Amino acid sequence: MTDTVHFPLAAVVAADSLKLALCLAAIDPRIGGVLIEGPRGMAKSTLARGLADLLADGQLVTLPLGASEDRLVGTLDLEAALGEGRARFSPGVLAKADGGVLYVDEVNLLADHLVDLLLDVAASGVNRIERDGISHTHAARFVLIGTMNPEEGELRPQLLDRFGLNIAMDGQPAPAERGQIIRRRLAFDSDPQGFCEQWAPAQSALRLRCQQARERLESIPLCDQALEAITTRCFAEGVDGLRADLVWLRAARAHAAWRGAEQILDEDVEAVAEFALRHRRQAPRQPESKPAPPPPPAASAAQPSDPGQGQWGDMPAQAVPVGERRSVPSWPKKP
């Protein structure tokens, strides 16, 4: 655990879908992380930070908004490499996040090339740094959590697709929920340690359930029946690529492990459908139809025929009256 006391995830009011998605990402980090969308003041950061306590390591690392590429991936001391014959590596944010949670607030305001690099490492679990022919590789397995406010800018579709699950928070909780949220937040602010102790049993139960689900995960088969239902639905939703199918299947298995089941059922597939499809859904595919043949060109009497070829089989042109014929004047002969 980090020294900073975070609001326990078990104490969060409502937001059941988001809490489920975070737990699934903790059960199987290969799902690819969670992108949380919502307006300001919806405790997106509080929910993301509460996930760290559910992992075995419990490490939470936050990526600063203005971080450089070297700050993210780490740096290599080239002078030491040339002088000592070995690479001296200064770890970055990715190395520190190994085994825990990497939290990126306002990920839509981060430079695109950094988001792309971040998602590559999150998917592979390996960070590789190369500088002037010198390379260094280290493990970087973490649960990636990103938050964003769509009013401040969107992510490119290519980057949206790289996030495993996507959740949108409702900006208008019911009055009873709003009051309960405020009361718990005030209680936490006045005595963070006492508040966490009060919620320790519920938080421990949630942590234990995630741990047991992780231990059960690999024993649950990725069955063909679930895969067929997922691929059919992805095609019907017009999803590009195959990442949605893979993420959906892994999330369904994690949900089955979360339930304590031994196989994936239809309820597991449906429970995570919106998580996997929301940011990948396209317009429904229309059935392909053969184009209608073009109409035959209209015959035109005014259009000249090809000289020298003639119009074989055509009737001769008919005489057309052009008005009264004028007589040729008679001029007197020369004497």
Side-chain angles (χ1 to χ4, degrees), residues 23 46 48 56 61 67 87 115 219 228-230 249 259 281 288 302 309:
C23 290
T46 300
V61 178
V115 179
S219 65
E228 182 180 358
I230 288 171
L249 185 60
R259 292 192 302 108
R281 184 180 286 114
E288 296 183 1
Q309 296 294 329

Side-chain angles (χ1 to χ4, degrees), residues 135-193:
S135 64
H136 177 78
T137 303
H138 68 84
R141 296 181 177 87
F142 50 81
V143 179
L144 177 63
I145 305 297
T147 61
M148 61 176 283
N149 180 3
E151 296 177 356
E152 298 173 351
E154 294 285 352
L155 274 175
R156 290 190 291 114
Q158 296 88 337
L159 298 178
L160 274 174
D161 180 56
R162 302 288 297 279
F163 278 94
L165 308 179
N166 179 224
I167 307 295
M169 299 188 67
D170 186 6
Q172 292 292 333
E177 292 180 353
R178 298 173 77 101
Q180 195 173 7
I181 292 170
I182 297 302
R183 283 192 291 269
R184 291 190 185 179
R185 185 70 214 190
L186 292 175
F188 176 79
D189 291 340
S190 62
D191 185 8
Q193 196 66 38

Side-chain angles (χ1 to χ4, degrees), residues 85-267:
R86 61 183 181 87
R88 182 183 297 172
F89 174 64
S90 298
V93 172
L94 296 178
K96 297 176 182 178
D98 185 32
V101 175
L102 178 56
Y103 171 59
V104 186
D105 194 13
E106 305 294 351
V107 66
N108 53 324
L109 303 183
L110 198 64
D112 282 353
H113 75 282
L114 293 183
V115 179
D116 204 17
L117 190 155
L118 181 65
L119 292 168
D120 275 339
V121 176
S124 65
V126 176
N127 181 34
R128 183 184 302 275
I129 308 98
E130 296 187 359
R131 296 290 186 274
D132 296 335
I134 301 174
S135 64
H136 177 78
T137 303
H138 68 84
R141 296 181 177 87
F142 50 81
V143 179
L144 177 63
I145 305 297
T147 61
M148 61 176 283
N149 180 3
E151 296 177 356
E152 298 173 351
E154 294 285 352
L155 274 175
R156 290 190 291 114
Q158 296 88 337
L159 298 178
L160 274 174
D161 180 56
R162 302 288 297 279
F163 278 94
L165 308 179
N166 179 224
I167 307 295
M169 299 188 67
D170 186 6
Q172 292 292 333
E177 292 180 353
R178 298 173 77 101
Q180 195 173 7
I181 292 170
I182 297 302
R183 283 192 291 269
R184 291 190 185 179
R185 185 70 214 190
L186 292 175
F188 176 79
D189 291 340
S190 62
D191 185 8
Q193 196 66 38
F195 185 85
C196 291
E197 290 177 0
Q198 177 185 353
W199 283 93
Q203 187 72 2
S204 297
L206 185 60
R207 188 186 309 111
L208 179 61
R209 185 175 181 181
C210 289
Q211 178 183 346
Q212 292 175 342
R214 279 193 295 269
E215 296 171 353
R216 190 182 300 112
L217 183 68
E218 296 300 329
S219 65
I220 300 176
L222 297 170
C223 62
D224 292 338
Q225 182 179 357
L227 179 59
E228 182 180 358
I230 288 171
T231 54
T232 302
R233 179 80 173 275
C234 284
F235 181 82
E237 296 284 357
V239 174
D240 291 331
L242 300 174
R243 184 174 283 114
D245 307 60
L246 183 59
V247 167
W248 192 348
L249 185 60
R250 283 176 172 165
R253 182 171 69 166
H255 189 269
W258 169 258
R259 292 192 302 108
E262 297 180 354
Q263 60 181 349
I264 303 174
L265 300 180
D266 291 341
E267 61 181 286

Side-chain angles (χ1 to χ4, degrees), residues 16-22 24 31 33-35 163-168 247-248 251 255 268-281:
D16 294 335
S17 295
L18 178 52
K19 288 189 287 187
L20 175 60
L22 293 174
L24 296 180
I31 288 174
V34 181
L35 176 63
F163 278 94
L165 308 179
N166 179 224
I167 307 295
V247 167
W248 192 348
H255 189 269
D268 301 307
V269 174
E270 289 301 322
V272 299
E274 191 63 19
F275 299 165
L277 290 177
R278 182 183 180 275
H279 54 314
R280 299 182 174 96
R281 184 180 286 114

